[in-house]
């Protein structure tokens, strides 16, 4: 059993490395020194070990929860007490492991990847530490107030790290876009917190769950609160219609994309819905909204992933799509299903991002049209990237197969229409991932960035390949946790899994039937068909991509221009509705209304003065006369009325 | 007929009104100054009358009247000096012509 002080330490160690890196050692050590990296890796490494310990403690604890004493932060006048407390249940423990392990891998990888960055090295590690701290705080916090604070802090870190190379305009713009777009969702989250506090007088998550289950909190209030929370999740997890920021966020360094925009921060939205799940469970409308948005986003983003030429953007759309899957899984199958996919996805998607970083480290570009044939010079990157892709495509027996399968099963049971979307997405996912692999690692080398020389491509150093290999191992085995229902048991979801043992489950997947259909087998075949389709087009070239583009001309344009969502937001909403409409209205109101009032008052005073100044004759005796008349009038008033 | 407080007050009021009328209507600045003296002294009468009729044992009103006379003397000095200064500038002391301070 882990002592509760160490649970605090999990969260505070990255804060410590943030303070040391950012505020203490900076004046004494050169900005490009590797010491910053070592401090961060050390702190997060210890955090990771403690997190794994915490996970094992939670697994063996009764009710899968370890109590952590609260600290009272403040008592409001009306007696409301706000605690500074941590929650350590199975959901948090799983998230802790995901965050710290992926973060550790990414930090080690960054030692090599960010090495060329002269001045930014310390800044990078400072912010990465702050991000890890905020993310851990977010998953550990036991009340909505602190959840929101950490929620905004991860958003801030995301902003800082997307704009890490702020001297590039595109990066600065992308950082701003990410921040502003997620703020739209955060507004909903904040509104939901206020609705809940107004109606219940508490921020405490466990207390809110209790009220919902007891039926005290329900009806319209609950629905709006749940939808508000989901709005926050939509922004953070880049769900439709706020998905536009995530692909642009790829302007940041690749390890940042791997950690923040694939494995952890974007999954915070999914985590939040899971954390507040009773609120959704008791509000059918909210749960249906989550399912529809998630299912739609899954296929919507996958179609855009098909046509991107930038390898990181393919992965970005893939992330959006997979987050949609998680939402669908949460809405149809409950916390265990959604979070299990989050768990496996974190490893293989971080692996894929780091792999793409490794490729660009060698070729100097992210454009897949300039790559090709790299499997010979970069065997380790190739092998790990292949494992990650197979896992993402849902190929047996890798991690993605198990988690995706559960989402498909639960959506078939609850949302048959969305099930078909999800099934098509399986095909699309396999297709775009293997399109990326074939364009990057197979065929002839097509030039790269500057040298254009094939022999300049090289395998990345051990410090980068090491994390890739470790993540690849996790991308294989992470799914096996639930083969015999172990993960569901930890998450408290007992149910459809019959006890059949590990190997029984591993091979039973082929014969497992849902409603009389061998669903796992079908999804596997669909995934393999996706890979085969990519093979025919990009390796055998039986059908060329160009001819497909011609046949589906308008459709291709629509998809490759991202369904014109950027244009819609930029031109219609921002430029037309906001700048031409609303802001022009405000400007008009300001110049005519406000300024008009101010000018009008002074005009009245000026013209009034002009009119009555002629009373000032300069004749002293006239003034005296008026004074005299005044005195008489006052005297008479006093006499008659006083 | 015995002389009462009201007789003094009527005298005072009549003198004050004459003084006020003169101060508001006369054009010659010196006469205006004299009319102001008249107003001040009419007030002195009422002060002394009040004092001797209402609080005969105290001399408050008389003392106050002497103060007024002192101030009036000072005022005449200043006033005449101003009139002299105006005369040097305008070669005229007609009050209706002294209207440089108008709009």
């Amino acid at each position: 059993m882990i002592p509760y002080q160490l649970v605090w330490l999990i969260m505070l160690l990255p804060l410590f490395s943030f303070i040391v890196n950012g505020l203490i050692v900076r004046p004494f050590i050169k900005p490009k020194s590797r010491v910053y990296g070592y401090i961060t890796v050390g702190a997060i490494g210890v955090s990771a070990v403690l997190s794994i310990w915490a996970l094992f403690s939670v697994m063996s604890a009764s009710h899968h929860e370890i109590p952590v004493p609260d600290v009272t932060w403040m008592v409001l006048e009306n007696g409301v007490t706000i605690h500074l407390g941590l929650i350590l249940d199975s959901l948090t423990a799983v998230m802790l492991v995901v965050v710290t392990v992926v973060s550790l891998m990414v930090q080690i990888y960054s030692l090599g990847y960010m090495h060329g960055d002269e001045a930014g090295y310390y800044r990078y590690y400072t912010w990465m530490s702050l991000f890890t701290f905020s993310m851990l705080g977010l998953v550990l916090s036991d009340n909505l107030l602190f959840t929101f604070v950490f929620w905004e802090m991860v958003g801030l870190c995301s902003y800082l790290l997307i704009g890490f190379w702020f001297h590039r305009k595109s990066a600065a713009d992308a950082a701003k876009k990410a921040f502003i777009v997620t703020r739209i969702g955060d507004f909903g989250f904040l509104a939901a917190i206020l609705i809940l506090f107004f109606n219940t007088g508490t921020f405490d998550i466990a207390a809110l769950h209790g009220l919902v289950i007891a039926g005290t909190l329900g009806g319209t209030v609950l629905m709006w609160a749940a939808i508000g929370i989901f709005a926050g999740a939509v922004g953070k997890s880049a769900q439709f219609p706020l998905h536009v920021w995530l692909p642009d966020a790829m302007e940041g360094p690749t390890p940042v994309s791997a950690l923040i925009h694939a494995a952890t921060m974007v999954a915070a939205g999914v985590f939040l819905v899971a954390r507040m799940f009773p609120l959704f469970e008791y509000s059918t409308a909210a749960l249906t909204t989550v399912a529809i948005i998630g299912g739609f986003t899954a296929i919507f983003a996958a179609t855009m992933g098909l046509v991107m030429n930038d390898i990181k953007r393919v992965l970005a759309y893939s992330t959006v799509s997979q987050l949609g899957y998680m939402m669908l899984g949460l809405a149809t199958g409950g916390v265990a299903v959604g979070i299990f996919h989050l768990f496996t996805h974190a490893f293989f998607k971080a692996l894929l991002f780091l792999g793409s970083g490794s490729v660009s480290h060698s070729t100097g570009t992210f454009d897949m049209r300039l790559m090709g044939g790299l499997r010979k010079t970069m065997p380790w990157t190739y092998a790990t990237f292949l494992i990650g892709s197979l896992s993402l495509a849902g190929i047996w027996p890798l991690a993605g197969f198990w988690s995706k399968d559960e989402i498909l099963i639960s959506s078939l049971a609850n949302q048959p229409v969305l099930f078909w979307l999800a099934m098509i997405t399986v095909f699309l996912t396999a297709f775009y991932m293997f399109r990326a692999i074939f364009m990057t690692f197979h065929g002839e080398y097509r030039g790269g960035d500057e040298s254009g020389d094939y022999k300049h491509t090289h395998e990345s150093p051990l410090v980068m390949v090491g994390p890739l290999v470790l993540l690849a191992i996790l991308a294989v085995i992470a799914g096996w946790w639930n083969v015999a229902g172990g993960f569901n048991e930890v998450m408290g979801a007992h149910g459809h899994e019959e006890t059949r043992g590990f190997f029984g489950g591993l091979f039973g997947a082929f014969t497992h039937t849902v409603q009389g259909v061998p669903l796992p087998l079908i999804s596997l075949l669909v995934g393999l068909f996706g890979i085969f389709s990519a093979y025919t087009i990009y390796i055998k070239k039986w059908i060329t991509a160009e001819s497909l583009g011609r046949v589906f001309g308008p459709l291709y344009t629509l998809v490759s221009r991202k369904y014109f969502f950027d244009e819609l937001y930029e031109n219609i909403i921002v430029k037309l509705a906001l700048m031409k409409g609303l802001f022009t209205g405000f400007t008009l109101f300001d110049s005519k209304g406000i300024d008009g009032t101010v000018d009008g008052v002074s005009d009245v005073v000026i013209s009034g003065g002009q009119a009555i100044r002629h009373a000032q004759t300069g004749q002293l005796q006239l003034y005296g006369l008026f004074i005299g008349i005044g005195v008489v009038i006052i005297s008479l008033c006093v006499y008659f009325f006083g | 007929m015995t002389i009462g407080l009201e007789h003094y007050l009527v005298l005072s009021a009549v003198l004050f009104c004459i003084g006020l009328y003169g101060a508001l209507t006369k054009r010659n600045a010196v006469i205006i100054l004299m009319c102001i003296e008249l107003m001040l002294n009419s007030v002195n009468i009422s002060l002394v009358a009040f004092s001797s009729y209402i609080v005969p044992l105290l001399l408050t009103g008389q003392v106050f009247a002497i103060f007024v006379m002192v101030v009036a003397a000072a005022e005449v000095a200043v006033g005449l000096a101003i009139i002299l200064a105006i005369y040097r500038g305008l070669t005229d002391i007609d009050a209706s012509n002294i209207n440089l301070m108008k709009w």
Side-chain angles (χ1 to χ4, degrees), chain A residues 613-614 616-619 621 623-625 628, chain B residues 23-26 32 95-96 98-99 102-103:
Chain A
R613 72 176 192 173
H614 296 285
Q616 304 292 327
T617 56
Q619 291 288 348
Q621 288 168 308
Y623 301 163
L625 181 63
Chain B
L24 294 183
T25 53
K26 292 295 162 189
I32 291 171
S96 59
I98 307 170
N99 58 1
K102 69 176 176 181
W103 72 82

Side-chain angles (χ1 to χ4, degrees), chain A residues 490-533:
Chain A
V490 169
M491 298 302 287
H494 306 279
H496 55 84
E497 299 289 334
E498 65 270 34
T499 46
R500 57 195 174 189
F502 178 71
F503 286 103
L506 199 61
F507 296 102
F510 293 114
T511 54
H512 188 64
T513 56
V514 182
Q515 298 176 7
V517 188
L519 194 54
L521 189 63
I522 290 176
S523 82
L524 178 63
L525 290 177
V526 169
L528 287 173
F529 180 62
I531 296 173
F532 177 71
S533 306

